[in-house]
Amino acid sequence: MAALGALSVPTVLAQTQPAGGAAIDQIVIATVAASLIFGVLAWVCMRHRAGHGRILHSLGARASQATGLPSWAALPTGLAGISLIVALLGMYWDISLHIDVGRDEGPLANPAHYLILAGLFGVLAAGMLAVYMPTERPGPSAIRLTRDWHAPVGGIMLTACGAFALIGFPLDDVWHRLFGQDVTLWGPTHLMLIGGATMTVIGMANLVVEGVRHRDAQIASGERPAPAPREQRITARLVLARRVGLMGALLIGLSTFQAEFDFGVPQFALELEPMMLALAASMALVCARLWIGPGGALAAAGFFIAIRGTVTLLVGPVFGQTDPHLPLYLAEAVLVEAIAFGFMRLRGNVPALTLGALGGLAIGTIGFAAEYAWSQFAMPIAWTPDLIGPGVALATVAGVAGGVTGAMLAGALSGEMPGRRLATALAVGSLGLVMVGTAFGLRTDDLTGVTAEMRLSEPTQGATGQVADVEVRFDPAAVADEALWVTSTAWQGGGLEVEDLTAVPGEPGVYRTPQPVPIDGTWKTMLRIHNGDSLIAAPVFLPEDPAIPAEEVPAPAPGQTVTRNLQPDIELLQREQKAGVATWLKVVAPLVVLFITLSLLILLAWGSDRVGRSTAGRPGSGSRASDSVGRDTVRGGGVRLPRTRAGASFSALLRRIQIPRRL
């Protein structure tokens, strides 16, 4: 993840690091080390399958005794959980290092990379253990690999997610060699790393469900002794804690995609932030409420705050880097709980798909208002009134799509799935809505002819070099006066400084920096404007970077007025990208990554559907979640509509257009 990491070295050396890929010696060392680790892991797994070696038997037995799950579910899920926390810390530390300092020499030159690699290898190892460890068929949803070898679906999903994320590392270096450093979290290969780790949670949840069902089947058949009352109480607490952890982890994973906004260096339209917040909140919190039961959404939000808050403290005060901010999701959790409580009071059950849709709607509107308030004093770039229209629209669309997806995931985990045709339509429709919303948020309209007339004060010596106040007159004035935000951004010189510019009263288009900004060293200092569909910027100071190569853009002399054109800010924030790359390559490369990503999503959807339908409708096949998913909504693989006048009318409509209720 070279474009998102940086070696913690003296600032004056930051821009001497190579651009466009890691140093060859580091590539060789990393490849050899990864091959050795994978080889040892494969050897241990194959010896276990052959009946030799006691390492996995011993570790699995201890994990099974501690959790009550079969060893093939207990050990892998524990390893995957620890690995994800390690990778999460590494990711935020990595991003912060890069924001503060700049490029690094490669995967071995950045301490955060070691945490990311260890975490992702741990996830891959967990998946392989889940596939190799079973000595019997691990439940009805298992996949037959050979005549006497069946693997749990959750293990296959874990393995695929771990491999998908790890492949992102070498592909990231290839990407940089082709296109240069794409200094953004939303680079295609960066999204592979983040997305693979995030989707791991879905594989873990399915693996846990398979393990619980297998254990319960063994108890019912007499192969396993029934637990004593005390053991039952302990098991119930473990089940609750496990589900809270998984749903909280899902919320954490889905929230990593908005990290650029958390740090205050967004390179995309501001309305994408509430959209991503709504998608993460609705999917994870709706699923949490349905799978865990009353209080599940609040518990998942609490887990998110605890883990993400700890990561923020470690990256910021402990490691001394720029700390990432975070949303709270408490208001969104309260909304989901309130809607579910209302259904429980009125009907005695919680209809899953209805809760997903209404919960997503509430999150996209009322939840937007709560996050709007939170952003005013806790986020690097506060939301503004101009965001309300497009922000609420995108947040509502994403909220409903995420809520419905979360409801279906809860149905899969509890063994109560809607009909296959309906589930497919809802999944494809939800994905389509999110993709359309994302495309809408990514639209750009490059403003031209906008200038910034700058005047600097006499420089003074700051903590990391010279600093000066900047007064700027934008022309046309309306571009700044009607903007979503106007900021000064300075980064990669030993820290990050993002400040809202202060408008000068009575002078349209004239702004001042609230405090002096860096103007030398390796700092990249610029003035940025987000107006409508345009993100534009003008440099105040940019250092020379011979590795790209790029010449220095000097700061204006004190008292001298300098006029500079505003340009698409991606040209300044991502000045390390290569020019002259073939157009066909720019099109084909992202499409290849998109194809791989969609393949993983299809695998996850198929696996969850298989697990959900393997015991759908069997008495006791669910667990506590079976009582909270909503008997009138999904049961036995078909759709049972609510027993209300509206439900009866809708049923008649379905019959009229000849669509069976049991889809």
Side-chain angles (χ1 to χ4, degrees):
M1 200 167 171
L4 290 180
L7 177 64
S8 183
V9 296
T11 302
V12 295
L13 299 179
Q15 301 307 326
T16 66
Q17 309 303 337
I24 296 299
D25 60 333
Q26 295 210 11
I27 295 295
V28 173
I29 295 172
T31 301
V32 171
S35 300
L36 289 175
I37 294 173
F38 182 79
V40 170
L41 175 62
W43 178 76
V44 171
C45 289
M46 288 187 289
R47 279 184 58 83
H48 176 81
R49 288 296 307 171
H52 305 298
R54 306 300 302 172
I55 296 177
L56 295 186
H57 285 290
S58 176
L59 294 175
R62 293 181 183 179
S64 179
Q65 184 178 9
T67 63
L69 293 174
S71 60
W72 49 263
L75 181 60
T77 53
L79 175 59
I82 295 172
S83 299
L84 284 179
I85 292 176
V86 171
L88 179 75
L89 176 59
M91 171 197 150
Y92 279 101
W93 188 15
D94 186 37
I95 298 173
S96 184
L97 278 169
H98 176 59
I99 286 175
D100 288 352
V101 182
R103 295 190 303 271
D104 55 47
E105 294 182 355
L108 307 181
N110 181 339
H113 284 178
Y114 291 92
L115 296 182
I116 298 174
L117 285 168
L120 296 183
F121 262 110
V123 170
L124 178 63
M128 292 180 63
L129 293 181
V131 170
Y132 277 88
M133 286 183 69
T135 56
E136 56 190 351
R137 182 175 181 181
S141 60
I143 303 297
R144 180 177 177 178
L145 302 180
T146 65
R147 183 178 59 83
D148 58 349
W149 181 9
H150 293 78
V153 175
I156 294 175
M157 296 164 72
L158 261 179
T159 305
C161 290
F164 177 80
L166 275 173
I167 289 172
F169 252 98
L171 285 183
D172 189 53
D173 188 72
V174 173
W175 190 276
H176 296 328
R177 292 183 187 279
L178 291 174
F179 304 109
Q181 311 291 116
D182 53 344
V183 188
T184 171
L185 186 73
W186 278 31
T189 50
H190 300 159
L191 292 178
M192 288 184 66
L193 290 158
I194 299 169
T198 298
M199 295 300 103
T200 295
V201 179
I202 297 178
M204 292 173 61
N206 280 280
L207 184 61
V208 166
V209 168
E210 290 179 283
V212 169
R213 290 174 180 172
H214 185 70
R215 179 200 64 193
D216 291 347
Q218 287 183 318
I219 294 174
S221 64
E223 298 178 40
R224 185 185 184 117
R230 181 174 179 275
E231 294 177 341
Q232 290 180 347
R233 291 192 295 271
I234 295 175
T235 299
R237 295 190 186 100
L238 288 174
V239 168
L240 179 64
R242 191 180 298 120
R243 293 185 180 185
V244 169
L246 286 168
M247 292 297 98
L250 181 60
L251 184 58
I252 291 171
L254 292 171
S255 298
T256 55
F257 295 100
Q258 67 224 19
E260 285 191 1
F261 295 96
D262 293 341
F263 279 98
V265 195
Q267 301 183 42
F268 307 97
L270 188 59
E271 56 257 35
L272 284 172
E273 184 179 14
M275 174 186 163
M276 290 187 289
L277 287 172
L279 178 64
S282 59
M283 182 175 174
L285 297 178
V286 167
C287 187
R289 174 56 182 82
L290 293 170
W291 195 36
I292 299 170
L298 284 169
F303 185 92
F304 169 88
I305 293 172
I307 299 298
R308 273 293 310 273
T310 300
V311 168
T312 295
L313 291 175
L314 289 174
V315 171
V318 177
F319 296 162
Q321 308 298 145
T322 296
D323 55 318
H325 297 254
L326 67 155
L328 293 181
Y329 293 123
L330 289 176
E332 292 89 330
V334 170
L335 289 171
V336 172
E337 294 286 353
I339 294 171
F341 177 77
F343 276 111
M344 292 291 290
R345 295 281 294 178
L346 293 174
R347 300 180 40 177
N349 59 70
V350 182
L353 296 177
T354 305
L355 176 63
L358 292 181
L361 179 63
I363 287 172
T365 52
I366 303 173
F368 174 92
E371 296 298 340
Y372 186 104
W374 175 248
S375 76
Q376 301 305 304
F377 61 90
M379 298 300 286
I381 297 181
W383 296 1
T384 58
D386 291 334
L387 179 65
I388 294 176
V392 169
L394 288 181
T396 301
V397 169
V400 173
V404 170
T405 303
M408 289 196 296
L409 178 58
L413 298 176
S414 60
E416 300 192 355
M417 290 289 292
R420 185 163 277 127
R421 292 183 185 176
L422 177 61
T424 301
L426 290 174
V428 172
S430 297
L431 178 61
L433 286 175
V434 172
M435 293 180 70
V436 169
T438 302
F440 181 80
L442 291 176
R443 71 198 188 284
T444 58
D445 179 18
D446 294 336
L447 288 175
T448 58
V450 182
T451 61
E453 187 180 278
M454 304 179 193
R455 181 185 294 270
L456 270 63
S457 66
E458 192 69 33
T460 59
Q461 188 64 31
T464 59
Q466 288 193 325
V467 296
D469 292 304
V470 180
E471 181 175 286
V472 57
R473 180 185 298 274
F474 294 105
D475 183 25
V479 172
D481 294 340
E482 299 173 1
L484 281 166
W485 46 259
V486 182
T487 67
S488 64
T489 299
W491 68 337
Q492 297 186 350
L496 171 67
E497 298 180 8
V498 178
E499 298 288 345
D500 290 325
L501 296 186
T502 303
V504 177
E507 297 189 50
V510 179
Y511 291 78
R512 293 194 182 103
T513 54
Q515 60 186 23
V517 298
I519 55 170
D520 68 354
T522 59
W523 285 96
K524 297 175 182 177
T525 303
M526 62 201 76
L527 307 178
R528 304 180 65 207
I529 295 178
H530 180 3
N531 181 293
D533 300 339
S534 301
L535 280 82
I536 52 179
V540 175
F541 170 79
L542 296 176
E544 180 186 10
D545 194 340
I548 300 176
E551 297 180 355
E552 176 184 293
V553 178
Q560 179 183 354
T561 299
V562 174
T563 300
R564 288 175 177 167
N565 294 323
L566 276 85
Q567 59 200 87
D569 74 345
I570 192 173
E571 296 179 4
L572 298 183
L573 294 173
Q574 299 189 39
R575 72 195 296 237
E576 300 166 8
Q577 284 199 37
K578 291 182 179 179
V581 179
T583 302
W584 70 267
L585 193 58
K586 292 182 178 180
V587 174
V588 172
L591 288 178
V592 170
V593 175
L594 178 62
F595 174 78
I596 299 173
T597 303
L598 290 177
S599 300
L600 178 66
L601 293 177
I602 291 171
L603 172 65
L604 294 175
W606 167 82
S608 298
D609 183 81
R610 182 180 177 91
V611 171
R613 296 186 192 284
S614 63
T615 55
R618 297 183 184 180
S621 65
S623 48
R624 182 174 178 179
S626 301
D627 297 328
S628 60
V629 167
R631 300 177 179 86
D632 292 343
T633 304
V634 285
R635 174 58 63 104
V639 179
R640 182 174 298 174
L641 296 168
R643 299 187 186 94
T644 64
R645 181 174 299 176
S649 300
F650 191 62
S651 299
L653 176 62
L654 290 180
R655 288 193 297 271
R656 186 175 304 170
I657 60 178
Q658 298 182 346
I659 297 179
R661 292 172 62 192
R662 197 175 189 83
L663 297 173

